[in-house]
Amino acid sequence: MHWMIHLRFLSGPDIDELEIGPDDAIAAVESVVAAHGRGETVFEPRTHLVPDNGGVGHFNLLRAHVKGLGVAGVKVVGDFVPNYRHGLPSELAMVTLLDPYTGVPMSIMDATWITEMRTGAMTAVGAKYLARPDSRVLGHVGARGTAFANITLLDRLFPLEEIRVTSRRAESREAFGVRLREVTDTPVRVVETADEVFDGADILVEASRLTEPQPLLRTSLVRPGAFVVPYGTVSAVELDLLDVMDKVVVDDWRESRSGRFGALRAHVDTGRLSEETLYAQLGEIVSGQKPGRESSTERILFWHRGLSILDVALAHLILKRAEAADAGTMLRYR
């Protein structure tokens, strides 16, 4: 007996034409984070493939099953910081969605937008539960693709009066400032140093692209009531940062412990961050099992490394929209 199986290929332009809005992305991420808190997801921590390429970049491999969506998925995403020299994004990704009951592949899609949007949406969902509702000043280090999603989604949720940004390259940060001003009425201030970005900010996001550890986010700049999100691949925070935090929240503790990269890798390796010192996983808060912010003076840190369940949730959203619009290209699998 011969079976004929087709799958839907969705390119970047195919996905762009679906015009999936930021509110849809935030809702999908918040829903799957709550499902994670209820134990309704299955995933393994990411693994890394580091080619013998002179240290210019590596691949992250992520895989997950979300029971409520009836789909499993695998994402491969490259992390190549020097790609700007070639006119390419630093992160290019691809997702394969599969039927968890038969193993049949359902779709292959460009996941570059997914990677950017799910990161910004996770920052936004974390802020929804952990930042002060009256946060006025956002300080953001980093101007890569995920930075745009971080800032624009936070700008939707909070009554911001100022957005401060910087990055290592002057031309990059200036261009980023121009791009932000095109989409927001909130004043955007481009500055030269991380200290200028973070000093007195209510929401502090560190999304740098370091190749070696460097303390860009200094502990002394974190004021009472601040919400801090460090998620660069290489640490850009001081080791005593956690000493001033009232609560430390992660996306998933297993994910936090895995791999050789991550903003708080040194804190985990030295025992400064452990299962005992951790306050919660975000899913526990979103699903109502633990409170989030409980006072206006709490300093709260949220470390998210990028859960595969977020990729699967957004890929599923895209696939359903594409099926309804008959978008993409149907490919013969066998």
Side-chain angles (χ1 to χ4, degrees):
M1 181 180 294
H2 296 281
W3 295 273
M4 186 178 295
I5 300 174
H6 290 80
L7 57 83
R8 190 177 299 271
F9 173 74
L10 293 162
S11 68
D14 291 332
I15 294 170
D16 291 341
E17 289 178 3
L18 296 174
E19 297 184 335
I20 296 174
D23 293 339
D24 293 329
I26 290 174
V29 166
E30 186 172 7
S31 177
V32 81
V33 169
H36 172 247
R38 295 190 298 268
E40 298 169 0
T41 62
V42 178
F43 68 95
E44 295 297 328
R46 74 181 60 201
T47 58
H48 305 292
L49 173 64
V50 184
D52 185 7
N53 58 11
V56 298
H58 66 277
F59 296 99
N60 299 315
L61 286 73
L62 302 94
R63 56 265 195 233
H65 168 228
V66 180
K67 182 178 179 181
L69 300 180
V71 67
V74 178
K75 185 179 85 166
V76 179
V77 55
D79 194 349
F80 290 77
V81 175
N83 267 6
Y84 68 88
R85 300 171 186 165
H86 310 291
L88 295 170
S90 59
E91 295 173 317
L92 293 165
M94 182 174 291
V95 160
T96 303
L97 289 182
L98 307 112
D99 186 315
Y101 302 100
T102 64
V104 170
M106 303 161 64
S107 179
I108 295 174
M109 67 181 71
D110 177 356
T112 305
W113 176 86
I114 290 174
T115 301
E116 295 175 3
M117 185 56 70
R118 69 95 145 108
T119 303
M122 190 60 155
T123 300
V125 171
K128 177 179 176 179
Y129 289 87
L130 302 173
R132 293 196 336 268
D134 63 345
S135 295
R136 295 291 195 272
V137 178
L138 165 62
H140 194 289
V141 168
R144 59 175 172 161
T146 54
F148 184 78
N150 276 334
I151 292 172
T152 55
L153 296 190
L154 287 170
D155 193 35
R156 296 178 74 86
L157 295 182
F158 294 91
L160 298 179
E161 296 176 353
E162 183 180 43
I163 296 170
R164 305 176 193 160
V165 297
T166 195
S167 67
R168 181 176 55 184
R169 294 182 296 121
E171 63 272 23
S172 174
R173 62 178 178 256
E174 292 295 340
F176 187 49
V178 170
R179 185 183 179 196
L180 288 172
R181 293 184 188 107
E182 291 174 348
V183 298
T184 180
D185 294 327
T186 305
V188 176
R189 187 155 68 95
V190 178
V191 299
E192 293 185 7
T193 68
D195 279 4
E196 293 174 273
V197 163
F198 291 137
D199 191 15
D202 301 308
I203 299 175
L204 299 78
V205 181
E206 180 281 304
S208 61
R209 305 294 288 151
L210 298 178
T211 55
E212 297 292 335
Q214 179 185 350
L216 298 177
L217 199 171
R218 296 192 295 117
T219 305
S220 61
L221 299 178
V222 180
R223 306 291 174 78
F227 173 59
V228 180
V229 185
Y231 74 84
T233 300
V234 176
S235 176
V237 304
E238 295 181 314
L239 275 177
D240 65 353
L241 177 65
L242 301 191
D243 295 346
V244 303
M245 291 298 158
D246 297 291
K247 290 175 179 173
V248 177
V249 177
V250 299
D251 51 4
D252 180 82
W253 177 237
R254 288 187 310 151
E255 191 73 62
S256 300
R257 289 178 296 168
S258 72
R260 51 191 279 194
F261 301 108
L264 300 186
R265 174 60 44 222
H267 298 76
V268 174
D269 292 345
T270 59
R272 288 175 172 84
L273 179 59
S274 67
E275 199 161 10
E276 289 70 37
T277 62
L278 181 70
Y279 172 69
Q281 297 180 137
L282 185 61
E284 296 176 286
I285 296 171
V286 175
S287 62
Q289 299 172 53
K290 289 186 176 182
R293 175 172 288 274
E294 296 177 274
S295 82
S296 62
T297 59
E298 283 183 309
R299 293 180 176 97
I300 301 178
L301 182 145
F302 175 42
W303 181 29
H304 63 94
R305 299 200 62 210
L307 297 184
S308 53
I309 57 174
L310 312 183
D311 298 302
V312 171
L314 287 185
H316 177 266
L317 173 63
I318 289 169
L319 179 58
K320 290 304 170 186
R321 294 286 179 87
E323 289 173 345
D326 196 23
T329 305
M330 298 304 297
L331 302 176
R332 174 92 182 258
Y333 173 66
R334 63 175 298 127

